[in-house]
Structures are given as C-alpha cells and as structure tokens.
Amino acid sequence: MMRAFDDKSNVVSARSWMDLVTTALGAGSAQGPGDGFRGLWLDEWTRRGDWKEPAWRDRFDVAPFGWGAYNSAGECDELTWTKRKDSIVAAFDVYCFDVPGLGNWQFRVDEGPWRNAGPFEPIHETRLRRLAIREPVQSRVQVRGFDGTAPCIAAVAGICVYADRSASSGDLVHDLGLGMQFLSHFCRWSAGDPLALLDELRPDLVIAAFSNDVLFDDVATFERGLRRLAARVAPFADLFLISPYEQRPPRRVRDATTRVGSRVVESDAARFVPSDVSCVAAGTNIPNDPSTSITSVQSSRAITISAPATASCAGGELVIGRGREVEIQAKFRLLTRRVAESVGCAHLDLYDAWSDLGAHGWEAATAMGLMVDQYHASPRGHRDIAARVLDVLGAS
C-alpha cells in the first residue's frame, strides 16, 4: 500500500500528480481514485448543527491538520459524507476520538436505519477510535449526535472507504493534501497527538511534499517537522520526501503610480497577470495595516487594490507577493535534501529536475508550460511530476 500527503491547493487540476500516481498503481476504486481516508476538509462533507474543532490544548486534538469535529449535543447535529459519483464503496471505517462526554452516537448508511456506534469505553488517550463497517455505500454515510433517546456528543475525524469489502485487496492511497496548509501544522505541537492517524493507517510508504512553510522562513521548525515525521513512520513505512519546484517569488518594481484615495495602481514594469489577484501588495503609499491585496487585474499595467492609496506619486515602489523569495525556497530545498540523506529515505528535488529540462526557476517553468499560476503546476507539470514519482518508486 502507498500513502501520501501534501499541501496542494484546491485549485490544481483534478488530474493532479497524486491522482495520476494513484491510477498508474492501480489503486483506488475500479472507476478511479477515491478510496482511502477522506478528511473533513473535503467538500464531500456537510454539517448541520453546532460543530467545532479541537484546539491545540485539547488531548483529543488527534485529527490531521486539526480537522476533527465534535458537537455540543444539540437537537439537529449531523455530519454527512457523500460518496463521489465515480467511486465504489464496498466497506468503510469511521474514525472518531475520545472527547470528554462522548455519547453513544448514531450513524446510518444511505437511507437505512440509524444505528448506535457504541457504547464506548473511555480510553483517555491521545489516539483515534475506528468503527469498521463492512457494507456498501450507494450515496452517503451520516453521523448524528443522538443516542436513540436524547441528544449526545459525537466526535468524528474522517472516514476511510474501500472498493473491496475485505478492505485488504490491492494498493490503497490516502491523499491527505490540504490547500494552504503547512508541515508545521501537520506535525504541530499539541496536548494531543496530531500524527495519530498515521499509526492507525500504518502505511507502507509516506510521500511528503510541502511548500507553504517557506512563508515563515523558519528552516529549524521545518526540519523538526520532517524529522518528527520520519521518526514516527520509521517502524512501519518508507519515507519519500519531495522538494517542490520554484514558486513565483515576490516582484519588486519602482515605477508605480498611485493617486491619493484611488485603489488603482499602474506600472509598466510589473507586467500584471490574472493570477496576481489575491496577492499581497505593498509599497509607496499602499496601506499595510492590515495588509493590502490585489482585488482585480485591469490590464498588464493596471491593478485594483483592496485599500485606497494614502498619497499620490509616480515612480514609487511596488512589491507584489510576500514570503517566497528565491533564496528562502532554496534553503528549504537544501534542508529537505539533507534530512533525506541523514534518515536514508528517497528524495526528489523538482527544482533540479525541471532545471535539467531548462526550466530554471518560476519564469522559465511557466514559459515551458509547467506552471498554471504563481504556485501550482499545470496539467503538463503534474504529468511530469507523476512520471518522476513513479520512476523513483520503480513503477513507471
């Protein structure tokens, strides 16, 4: 079996490199990827009622990225997981955790009867519980904070689904990718156990690829996270670390024109593109408390920002983007390589790999069609990454 996670964005192609690797290995359901752990961050989940997530100070902070949910014993507290149309679910596991006051909550499959999940004996440990249900799902699985007679507390960390009823046939991929997240949060300090799911899934292989941590320029924390992950999975899994391609660094120009009270900024040198929308903008006469962002791109030489300029000038400084300087990205790639060498695990440096193609950095990678925006690979880029991952795995 193969397990993987990364911090890919929700805006990448549906055929991401992870989907392509999954398909190439013959994992997932007969109709495509979709098996494995399905975290609460996926849009497959909906909530009704009063649900909240554990905090770092809670001993029951045991879900990936903190995405567990428990309710307040309200009248209509329900969680619903809806199956992807292209997947087959022959069996599933519901993962829950030991929140204080946990009740004998109920679940049902499709439109079947509500059934009690417990009763639960208190475990008082920082780990997950697993409820194994060996029956098919046509549409959905629901959980409710109700014990059959009165409202109660339920606590869910996710669902793991299988195309095979025995839950043991063939390869299985758990894609824990969550956009805009960090290794430092996946391996966060907590009164609970943020890596508890890895012990439950017991993967044969873990692939880790994170790029957002460069925003903090804290390689020491990143190294601690990588080493904590390596030590945790060492008893049961091989580790495969991926250093990302270069993402677009901040651009700095000195020909910006601003007008007091106007949200329009003009520059010939900036060469604005549609994907600049939502990027942080800073510079002469641009408010930075709170940070100003680009709300629209009018043309290659004009943008609209979220706050009006405080004064007028021509030839002012404008900085687009923040926190992904070339030198910082290089430090994180080098650190990842060194950790991989020291723990003896596989490593793929996508910056070096794409440089060998002639794509030295973001500009060149974009020109070659490997990038779709500032941060994410294009479909061509994802196909290239998938091929390289499979080559490292010896499965190409």
Side-chain angles (χ1 to χ4, degrees):
M1 290 185 293
M2 172 178 154
R3 323 286 187 177
F5 59 87
D6 66 7
D7 64 351
K8 70 175 184 294
S9 165
N10 295 327
V11 302
V12 300
S13 165
R15 299 295 290 170
S16 69
W17 67 265
M18 200 64 251
D19 284 343
L20 295 169
V21 168
T22 300
T23 301
L25 293 177
S29 73
Q31 297 180 0
D35 281 6
F37 186 81
R38 318 301 293 172
L40 295 182
W41 56 83
L42 296 173
D43 61 8
E44 300 164 5
W45 290 91
T46 56
R47 305 183 187 192
R48 187 176 72 176
D50 182 19
W51 297 87
K52 58 183 178 179
E53 288 74 40
W56 62 267
R57 66 182 69 86
D58 295 321
R59 286 181 56 80
F60 52 89
D61 175 27
V62 294
F65 299 108
W67 275 76
Y70 66 100
N71 67 319
S72 59
E75 291 290 339
C76 300
D77 297 335
E78 291 184 3
L79 284 176
T80 299
W81 175 77
T82 301
K83 181 180 76 70
R84 284 173 38 160
K85 292 181 179 179
D86 63 349
S87 66
I88 296 172
V89 178
F92 64 93
D93 299 330
V94 177
Y95 283 93
C96 57
F97 50 93
D98 197 38
V99 63
L102 183 69
N104 189 9
W105 50 268
Q106 295 185 318
F107 73 96
R108 71 172 176 175
V109 179
D110 298 320
E111 301 305 317
W114 287 99
R115 290 173 279 175
N116 289 90
F120 298 107
E121 292 294 327
I123 54 177
H124 303 302
E125 296 178 10
T126 55
R127 65 181 177 88
L128 291 163
R129 299 177 183 267
R130 182 170 65 93
L131 178 68
I133 307 298
R134 297 299 172 254
E135 61 186 72
V137 178
Q138 299 301 319
S139 176
R140 63 183 182 173
V141 175
Q142 291 179 283
V143 168
R144 68 178 181 178
F146 190 78
D147 65 9
T149 59
C152 69
I153 294 177
V156 177
I159 188 172
C160 188
V161 298
Y162 309 94
D164 180 80
R165 186 167 184 173
S166 69
S168 62
S169 176
D171 290 326
L172 186 65
V173 174
H174 301 283
D175 185 355
L176 305 188
L178 176 54
M180 299 181 289
Q181 268 297 345
F182 312 91
L183 176 70
S184 60
H185 191 50
F186 188 83
C187 298
R188 64 197 176 278
W189 185 91
S190 170
D193 183 2
L195 300 182
L197 181 65
L198 297 177
D199 290 345
E200 294 292 332
L201 299 178
R202 296 194 67 81
D204 297 314
L205 172 67
V206 170
I207 303 177
F210 283 87
S211 63
N212 289 338
D213 292 80
V214 301
L215 294 170
F216 302 119
D217 191 16
D218 184 353
V219 293
T221 296
F222 191 70
E223 179 176 6
R224 284 195 295 272
L226 287 179
R227 293 191 181 279
R228 183 181 181 191
L229 175 63
R232 186 61 170 264
V233 304
F236 49 78
D238 292 324
L239 181 63
F240 180 4
L241 300 181
I242 297 180
S243 295
Y245 43 77
E246 185 176 284
Q247 299 176 323
R248 191 173 199 179
R251 291 130 63 203
R252 188 183 303 270
V253 300
R254 292 179 172 82
D255 71 335
T257 297
T258 57
R259 299 174 182 85
V260 63
S262 174
R263 293 170 52 214
V264 176
V265 180
E266 298 175 340
S267 166
D268 291 323
R271 293 180 296 165
F272 301 116
V273 293
S275 57
D276 285 332
V277 172
S278 79
C279 285
V280 172
T284 307
N285 302 331
I286 297 177
N288 61 7
D289 186 20
S291 297
T292 299
S293 62
I294 298 173
T295 58
S296 67
V297 175
Q298 299 181 13
S299 68
S300 63
R301 65 177 306 275
I303 57 173
T304 303
I305 58 178
S306 59
T310 58
S312 301
C313 77
E317 181 180 67
L318 172 64
V319 181
I320 304 160
R322 182 175 62 190
R324 298 182 192 267
E325 286 80 3
V326 169
E327 297 80 7
I328 295 176
Q329 294 188 64
K331 285 195 299 184
F332 277 75
R333 291 195 301 269
L334 178 60
L335 182 279
T336 303
R337 178 184 297 277
R338 288 176 175 171
V339 170
E341 290 172 349
S342 69
V343 303
C345 73
H347 175 242
L348 171 62
D349 190 321
L350 290 173
Y351 178 86
D352 285 350
W354 285 9
S355 292
D356 289 343
L357 298 176
H360 299 277
W362 181 87
E363 292 277 0
T366 299
M368 291 184 64
L370 295 168
M371 300 290 291
V372 70
D373 58 19
Q374 292 105 316
Y375 312 129
H376 307 112
S378 66
R380 178 185 176 187
H382 280 287
R383 290 194 296 271
D384 180 271
I385 297 168
R388 296 180 189 279
V389 170
L390 290 168
D391 184 61
V392 172
L393 298 179
S396 58

